[in-house]
Amino acid sequence: MNRQSGGHERPREARLRPEAAHLYPGVTPDDWLQAARMVDIVWALRLRRGEGAVHLGERILLPDHFEFRNAGGVEPSSGSRRRATDE
């Protein structure tokens, strides 16, 4: 069995919500990308804008701005936690 992205069979994916598109120029809303790749893109945007370093534990992909799928093979329902590690 091939495991990737946090030990799940399928890698976690993220897509930008259309209502947050203005905050992430160059990122196409509604396109699913591997979450790790999306983090790289968003981090690069933040660096270009001169935003400071993130704090340990701070999320790069904000749940208000992004949707997620393939977290353990089960899509979270609306309003539920996004990761198994969330409390």
Side-chain angles (χ1 to χ4, degrees):
M1 179 175 355
N2 183 15
R3 292 188 174 257
Q4 302 175 13
S5 184
H8 300 296
E9 289 184 33
R10 294 170 41 184
R12 190 165 191 235
E13 295 179 318
R15 72 175 172 185
L16 179 61
R17 296 176 188 271
E19 60 271 18
H22 67 283
L23 300 170
Y24 304 92
V27 179
T28 305
D30 297 324
D31 284 349
W32 289 103
L33 296 176
Q34 189 169 354
R37 175 72 178 125
M38 188 70 80
V39 166
D40 290 344
I41 292 167
V42 171
W43 181 240
L45 287 171
R46 290 180 70 159
L47 289 175
R48 276 189 237 135
R49 290 191 293 230
E51 295 180 14
V54 296
H55 299 285
L56 186 61
E58 180 182 345
R59 288 187 174 179
I60 300 296
L61 304 180
L62 301 174
D64 290 345
H65 299 172
F66 294 89
E67 287 184 84
F68 302 94
R69 71 178 179 187
N70 297 338
V74 178
E75 291 190 36
S77 61
S78 179
S80 68
R81 298 293 183 174
R82 301 290 192 228
R83 298 185 198 169
T85 57
D86 288 346
E87 297 183 280

